[in-house]
Amino acid sequence: MTKCKLEYIWLDGYQPTQSMRSKTKIVEDFSGNFEDADIWSFDGSSTQQAPGGSSDCLLKPVFCCPDPDRSGTGFLIMCEVLNADGSPHRSNGRATIKDKDEDFWFGFEQEYTIFDPETNKPIGFPAEGYPAPQGPYYCSVGAGKAVGREIVEDHLEQCLQAGLNVEGINAEVMMGQWEFQIFAKGAARAGDEVWIARYLLDRTAEKYGMVINYHCKPVKGDWNGSGMHANFSNTTLRTCGSKEVYEAICQAFEPRIAEHIDVYGADNDQRLTGLHETQSIDKFSYGISDRGASIRIPIATVEKGWKGWLEDRRPASNADPYMVASAIIATVRTANVPAAV
């Protein structure tokens, strides 16, 4: 029999931003299907998810992929947290997704910053002061501009070996800031893959003695913040061929600013200022190719005859993709789409 290492991964109860936790379970001859992974338990009193006198919380496997650091015998198991009675824990963002079909597709652009724990600054920043102003770092190449590439490339390979649907990477606007993109059909699957990719990123950075900072404004001042832009579509957006339909869906977001900001990440007011390619946090706008809008209509969508997707640029890098997707679906469902479509 083959001993297999299952890494159970879950989100804790810390607020306002949850952290990832994980622990290893050894089993024999695991199939690789999450349905065959047992429900497990953990001490919720150590993760702000239960009191000490009744501390057991449950881990329900919902997604599985190969663990690239434990090739052949290791698997990463994404889990939902349940109460002892089997009901979803209040910290369980995945449980807020009501649509279980794959009509909604999501592409998340996860930005992050690699931090040097010795300086508590982004990698490449001098110990005192700042590097040259941003401008040359976006999609850059070369020493002094693309800093931390070895970590980013290692992470990309890890994600590919795990079978995640990573669609690309690039250096971002601030030095030490990078991005990866994940696409999936279905809100739950998209969230699962983003969280596993974040887990692999954190674990990869460990090997280099670095820390991944997901805060949406990791460096104050004239530096871009970090977002998790949410590209989304459903059958209507992919096939309607109608500018009026797109405008109706965009307009459905305007009266629901608060509902979205509530789940779009902590401290997002520091990022959504109206500067650095953002709209102000208390305003809503949309526009074609407008990176300063709340929702951007990609030029590719227009060129394909209004058949494509939309990009909500407001989610912060520290947001929960489950809750972001859930909010977007709920709002799109309220859109007053023209009857002819």
Side-chain angles (χ1 to χ4, degrees), residues 96-173:
T96 68
I97 300 171
K98 305 305 181 184
D99 295 58
K100 302 302 181 183
D101 59 40
E102 295 184 352
D103 185 50
F104 275 86
W105 300 355
F106 286 91
F108 286 106
E109 302 175 36
Q110 177 68 67
E111 295 177 343
Y112 60 92
T113 307
I114 304 171
F115 258 55
D116 184 341
E118 292 189 1
T119 63
N120 197 33
K121 290 185 175 183
I123 189 172
F125 272 52
E128 301 294 334
Y130 297 92
Q134 58 187 29
Y137 310 119
Y138 173 70
C139 293
S140 60
V141 62
K145 290 185 290 186
V147 184
R149 187 185 297 276
E150 66 278 8
I151 298 173
V152 175
E153 292 288 344
D154 192 344
H155 172 247
L156 174 61
E157 187 60 30
Q158 293 260 318
C159 288
L160 293 174
Q161 288 182 22
L164 302 182
N165 193 33
V166 179
E167 294 206 322
I169 59 171
N170 59 268
E172 267 302 331
V173 177

Side-chain angles (χ1 to χ4, degrees), residues 27 82 127 170 195 202 234:
V27 302
L82 307 179
N170 59 268
W195 277 114
D202 285 345
N234 60 1

Side-chain angles (χ1 to χ4, degrees), residues 14-42:
Y14 277 64
Q15 293 296 326
T17 303
Q18 293 172 278
S19 302
M20 285 176 286
R21 307 292 179 117
S22 74
K23 61 176 183 173
T24 306
K25 185 181 185 70
I26 306 299
V27 302
E28 294 179 343
D29 295 330
F30 181 64
S31 68
N33 300 316
F34 76 84
E35 297 91 343
D36 295 326
D38 293 334
I39 289 180
W40 204 10
S41 63
F42 69 95

Side-chain angles (χ1 to χ4, degrees), residues 49 64 85 90-91 94 96 123 207 229 238 268 282:
Q49 287 167 300
C64 176
D85 63 2
R90 66 181 181 278
S91 64
R94 197 178 192 271
T96 68
I123 189 172
K207 296 186 293 187
H229 303 154
R238 292 190 292 271
N268 216 4
D282 58 345

Side-chain angles (χ1 to χ4, degrees), residues 24 34 83 97 142 154 209 213 215 251 255 291 310 326:
T24 306
F34 76 84
N83 296 307
I97 300 171
D154 192 344
N213 189 323
H215 194 272
Q251 290 163 7
R291 283 180 164 76
L310 291 168
S326 179

Side-chain angles (χ1 to χ4, degrees), residues 160-207:
L160 293 174
Q161 288 182 22
L164 302 182
N165 193 33
V166 179
E167 294 206 322
I169 59 171
N170 59 268
E172 267 302 331
V173 177
M174 183 175 69
M175 177 183 278
Q177 184 186 50
W178 292 78
E179 172 185 298
F180 65 84
Q181 302 99 35
I182 291 278
F183 170 80
K185 297 179 180 179
R189 177 62 179 251
D192 294 340
E193 295 211 16
V194 170
W195 277 114
I196 291 292
R198 286 180 176 180
Y199 175 82
L200 287 172
L201 180 59
D202 285 345
R203 202 171 71 178
T204 299
E206 281 181 27
K207 296 186 293 187

